[in-house]
């Protein structure tokens, strides 16, 4: 299902395939770009303003759902947002491809969010976190059934989180590819139509990149605050 | 036969998604007319809803690509 399995540096450890593929390379570049940008931006007044804007945006959007020990989870959210956003946007750079358009990357990110949210739950409530999965105020007879039901819904969270991000990026790029193919196959005096389509779709892809990064972070903050507050 | 299935997959999904997008947009416009002060909050909520609904159509698009390949 991966968008490409173009191996750059084959590497096998035991039975595990740790080869460096294109998404992996792009992810490394994205990480370096984010680290350089964030550490260098604060030296210029424009960069300072930009980072303040970003901080305020994330703070106003997500921190309202994070009442307890806001600061620690906030840094996780801002990192997630920046990483997913730059990964999404890197798909529009020529010769590159979005790491988030391969299912393994989004599954890894979603499992990270899953792990962090439950770690937060255990840190805030200790072993009682397991009990808090079941909503409070239901008859004791129903608790085992509700526990199984809620367990399934908990396990479905990383699945839906990863597939949503993957499907958006993968489908968007496939549609772009189809339109690029249309340019090649169209009759000469109609080539302008698919070309305009490509430009419009590219703009739409930029919009989708932002929205999906926002949604991913929004859901991550929702899951974390859900775990931190315990029973709903 | 596979092409028909791929076409049907995305067509049926698009049918449902277009209806739900219309409902979301209609309700948002309705709310904005009632409470113009909360325009910013409505806009953010609307886009979040759009992204969730749109994702369903994109699942179908991925399914139809998988059928075609």
């Amino acid at each position: 299902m991966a968008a490409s399995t173009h191996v750059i540096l084959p590497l096998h450890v035991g039975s595990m395939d740790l080869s460096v593929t294109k998404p992996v390379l792009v992810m490394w570049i994205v990480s370096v770009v984010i680290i350089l940008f964030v550490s260098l931006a604060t030296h210029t007044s424009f960069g300072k303003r930009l980072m303040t804007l970003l901080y305020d945006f994330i703070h106003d959007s997500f921190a309202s759902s994070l009442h307890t020990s806001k600061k620690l989870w906030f840094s996780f959210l801002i990192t997630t947002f920046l990483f997913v956003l730059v990964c999404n946007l890197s798909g529009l750079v020529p010769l590159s491809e979005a790491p988030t358009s391969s299912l393994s990357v989004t599954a890894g990110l979603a499992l990270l969010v899953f792990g962090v949210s439950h770690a937060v739950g255990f840190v805030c409530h200790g072993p009682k976190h397991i009990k808090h999965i079941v909503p409070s105020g239901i008859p004791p007879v129903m608790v085992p059934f509700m526990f199984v039901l809620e367990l399934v819904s908990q396990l479905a969270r990383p699945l839906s989180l990863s597939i949503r991000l993957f499907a958006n990026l993968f489908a968007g790029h496939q549609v772009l590819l189809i339109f690029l193919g249309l340019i090649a196959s169209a009759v000469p005096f109609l080539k302008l139509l698919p070309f305009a389509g490509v430009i419009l779709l590219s703009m739409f892809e930029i919009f989708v990149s932002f929205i999906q990064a926002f949604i991913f972070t929004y859901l991550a903050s929702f899951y974390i605050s859900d775990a931190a507050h315990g029973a709903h | 036969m596979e092409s028909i299935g791929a076409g049907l997959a995305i067509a049926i999904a698009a049918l449902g998604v277009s209806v739900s997008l219309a409902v979301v947009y209609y309700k948002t416009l309705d709310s904005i007319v009632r409470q113009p002060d909360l325009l910013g909050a409505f806009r953010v909520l609307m886009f979040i809803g759009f992204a969730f609904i749109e994702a369903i159509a994109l699942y179908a698009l991925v399914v139809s690509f998988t059928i075609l390949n």
Side-chain angles (χ1 to χ4, degrees):
Chain A
M1 189 52 89
S4 107
T5 47
H6 183 60
V7 177
I8 292 169
L9 184 75
L11 180 68
H12 292 271
V13 179
S15 59
M16 279 191 297
D17 186 5
L18 296 177
S19 310
V20 177
T21 55
K22 209 168 173 182
V24 177
L25 193 67
V26 174
M27 257 199 300
W28 286 346
I29 296 172
V30 162
S31 314
V32 170
V33 164
I34 292 176
I35 292 169
L36 280 182
F37 177 74
V38 172
S39 49
L40 292 181
T42 44
H43 292 292
T44 62
S45 66
F46 175 73
K48 258 182 203 160
R49 242 178 298 156
L50 201 67
M51 295 314 290
T52 316
L53 206 68
L54 183 73
Y55 186 94
D56 283 347
F57 171 67
I58 309 268
H59 192 272
D60 295 347
S61 310
F62 308 122
S64 54
S65 56
L66 294 175
H67 303 298
T68 45
S69 51
K70 201 167 3 183
K71 277 274 179 326
L72 188 58
W73 322 127
F74 183 64
S75 52
F76 171 71
L77 290 181
I78 202 164
T79 316
T80 313
F81 180 77
L82 268 182
F83 185 71
V84 174
L85 176 65
V86 181
C87 276
N88 290 350
L89 288 175
S90 72
L92 295 166
V93 177
L95 296 179
S96 158
E97 77 171 66
T100 39
S101 66
S102 84
L103 191 53
S104 333
V105 175
T106 58
L109 283 170
L111 282 178
L112 179 70
V113 168
F114 182 73
V116 165
S117 71
H118 282 281
V120 169
F122 279 115
V123 165
C124 289
H125 302 291
K128 266 163 68 185
H129 171 60
I130 299 279
K131 215 175 72 189
H132 282 164
I133 288 178
V134 182
S136 58
I138 57 167
V141 189
M142 290 297 287
V143 166
F145 300 105
M146 282 306 282
F147 185 75
V148 173
L149 215 66
E150 289 291 321
L151 209 61
V152 171
S153 101
Q154 288 282 339
L155 293 177
R157 280 175 173 184
L159 192 73
S160 73
L161 205 56
S162 59
I163 292 189
R164 180 178 303 113
L165 189 58
F166 159 73
N168 270 283
L169 272 289
F170 178 75
H173 290 169
Q174 290 297 311
V175 172
L176 260 181
L177 261 183
I178 289 173
F179 267 75
L180 284 172
L182 275 181
I183 296 181
S185 60
V187 281
F189 64 93
L190 277 181
K191 278 192 196 297
L192 209 59
L193 280 178
F195 184 66
V198 167
I199 291 176
L200 284 176
L201 273 175
S202 303
M203 290 175 177
F204 185 66
E205 277 299 298
I206 295 175
F207 174 69
V208 164
S209 302
F210 276 92
I211 280 281
Q212 287 305 318
F214 180 80
I215 293 280
F216 193 89
T217 324
Y218 179 80
L219 285 174
S221 83
F222 174 74
Y223 295 157
I224 290 173
S225 71
D226 197 34
H229 294 170
H232 344 226
Chain B
M1 208 61 187
E2 283 172 353
S3 346
I4 295 173
L8 273 181
I10 185 63
I12 295 171
L15 199 69
V17 164
S18 55
V19 171
S20 29
L21 280 181
V23 169
V24 169
Y25 197 65
Y26 160 58
K27 281 292 174 191
T28 313
L29 281 183
D30 204 36
S31 320
I32 289 171
V33 170
R34 282 164 198 265
Q35 296 270 340
D37 300 342
L38 296 176
L39 178 65
F42 287 146
R43 194 189 288 141
V44 171
L45 285 175
M46 183 184 78
F47 278 125
I48 293 172
F50 274 7
F52 278 124
I53 296 167
E54 230 174 40
I56 297 167
L58 291 168
Y59 297 159
L61 198 58
V62 171
V63 166
S64 72
F65 280 139
T66 327
I67 293 173
L68 283 179
N69 284 336

